[in-house]
């Protein structure tokens, strides 16, 4: 009896040592976030109203806030809870409006929410179930499409909201850039030290006009380097916030247009800017802007095309202005300038040394005669406040919702990953 008991205990001990635990089956997530209805205001406060654009978790994943909000939308749709879904969508839209209204001068906040509103809009399209938006989806992404509700009306509201954010965003950047344009592009003499003017990298954040309010008193006059550094600050922030490259290109195109139009208007009003040397200086500065676009891989943005009139002004200031052939070439080459602009610059041309000659009235009349049949604007000044129409082309996201984890620093412990 005793031997049998000992044998049984020995067998049990052996079984304990030889037994291998069955591997844990990894939980398969559905790409949704669940929250209680009474926590809706807390969710919106955490993910929108109190979210900081510089948060570590926010910057790690482009459009993180948008994707987390959409995962909440998916769960409400999964439950077929129309009231919960409608309340959430209205709450999201209202909260974004509130943030933009309260911080309408904050470049970072506008950049962040322009990017996330665009990402959220893309999510609503990509997972809508519409075939035109599903072409680049994986099979799993197609399984994540909304099942019960059509949110096309909310998509239109979000699109209108994104347009408003975009225009406010442009206004803030234009206000920062505008004081630099005339001194940087036209007044600052960099030809004597071109090598020292070449930008060497990103501007420090603390020196950005967005940070210090644009106070430039008591310091050196603005140069083209300041313009390039401000463009750097804009581009870096947009990239950090995960803004789609196509949208970044539209922003930069608008800023380049402001640079070109403001510069042309100033030249038209100031004789001291109408000389061969200024034409050389402007051409040099335009080349810096062109190089900056290449470095940022933004050539497809059509930003350089907006500098066409300024490039032609720079050429006109440098070209010979004497013979019939010169007049014919001016007509051919200055296609983006109106006749009144060309004549104004010729009449304002002011030689600054003995090697240059003043443009004769007879030559101006020759050019006028050649330009008589040209159709187009008769305006002298360019409309520097003109805005290109912004578009939000659909961009499919490769982000797998079921793999997306909620960073702990967002303090969303009341939300459950499903």
């Amino acid at each position: 009896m005793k031997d049998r008991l000992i044998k049984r205990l020995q067998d049990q001990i052996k079984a304990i040592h030889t037994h291998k635990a069955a591997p844990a089956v990894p939980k398969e997530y559905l790409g949704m976030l669940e929250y209680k209805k009474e926590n809706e205001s807390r969710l919106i406060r955490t993910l929108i109203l109190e979210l900081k654009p510089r948060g570590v978790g926010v910057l790690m994943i482009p459009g993180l806030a948008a994707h987390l909000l959409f995962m909440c939308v998916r769960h409400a749709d999964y439950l077929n809870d129309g009231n919960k879904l409608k309340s959430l969508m209205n709450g999201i839209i209202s909260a974004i409006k509130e943030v933009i209204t309260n911080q309408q001068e904050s470049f970072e906040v506008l950049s962040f929410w322009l990017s996330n509103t665009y990402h959220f809009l893309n999510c609503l399209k990509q997972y809508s179930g519409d075939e035109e938006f599903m072409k680049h989806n994986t099979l799993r992404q197609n399984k994540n499409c909304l099942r019960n509700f059509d949110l096309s009306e909310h998509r239109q509201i979000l699109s209108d909201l994104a347009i408003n954010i975009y225009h406010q965003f442009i206004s803030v950047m234009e206000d920062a850039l505008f004081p630099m344009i005339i001194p940087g592009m036209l007044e600052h003499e960099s030809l004597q030290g071109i090598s020292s003017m070449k930008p060497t990298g990103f501007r420090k954040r603390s020196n950005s006009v967005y940070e210090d309010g644009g106070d430039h008193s008591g310091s050196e006059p603005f140069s083209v380097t300041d313009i390039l550094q401000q463009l750097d600050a804009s581009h870096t922030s947009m990239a950090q916030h995960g803004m789609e490259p196509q949208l970044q290109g539209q922003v930069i195109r608008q800023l380049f247009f402001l640079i070109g139009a403001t510069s042309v208007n100033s030249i038209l009003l100031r004789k001291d800017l109408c000389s061969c040397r200024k034409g050389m200086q402007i051409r040099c500065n335009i080349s810096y802007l062109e190089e900056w676009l290449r470095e940022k891989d933004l050539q497809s943005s059509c930003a350089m095309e907006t500098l066409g009139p300024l490039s032609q002004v720079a050429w006109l200031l440098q070209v010979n202005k004497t013979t019939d052939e010169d007049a014919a070439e001016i007509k051919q080459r200055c296609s983006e300038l109106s006749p009144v602009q060309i004549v104004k610059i010729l009449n304002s041309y002011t030689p600054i040394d003995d090697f240059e000659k003043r443009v004769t009235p007879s030559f101006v009349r020759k050019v006028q005669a050649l330009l008589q049949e040209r159709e187009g604007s008769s305006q002298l000044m360019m409309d520097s406040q003109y805005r290109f129409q912004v578009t939000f082309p659909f961009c499919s996201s490769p982000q797998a919702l079921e793999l997306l984890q909620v960073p702990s620093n967002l303090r969303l412990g009341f939300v459950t990953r499903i």
Side-chain angles (χ1 to χ4, degrees), residues 249 253 256 293 298-307 388:
R253 180 192 185 199
F256 269 54
L293 283 176
L298 287 167
Q299 301 99 310
S300 62
S301 65
C302 298
M304 275 308 297
E305 282 81 343
T306 68
L307 297 181
F388 296 104

Side-chain angles (χ1 to χ4, degrees), residues 321-324 326-327 343 346-347 358-370:
K321 310 170 190 63
T322 308
T323 67
D324 290 351
D326 295 337
V343 170
L346 292 175
N347 283 326
R358 190 173 294 276
V359 182
T360 63
S362 60
F363 182 81
V364 176
R365 287 194 294 270
K366 285 179 187 176
V367 175
Q368 279 182 304
L370 291 174

Side-chain angles (χ1 to χ4, degrees), residues 189-194 277 281:
E189 291 286 346
S190 63
L191 284 175
Q192 294 176 347
I194 289 178
R277 182 174 180 82
Q281 178 66 68

Side-chain angles (χ1 to χ4, degrees), residues 177 180-181 184-185 223-231 259:
L177 189 60
M180 303 178 182
I181 295 173
M185 291 294 295
S223 70
V224 69
T225 300
D226 291 292
I227 293 174
L228 294 171
Q229 289 174 338
Q230 197 58 51
L231 291 171
I259 292 171

Side-chain angles (χ1 to χ4, degrees), residues 5 31 87 155 210 342-343 353 400 404 416:
L5 182 61
S87 177
R155 294 205 312 252
Y210 304 127
I342 295 171
V343 170
D353 55 43
L404 197 59
T416 304

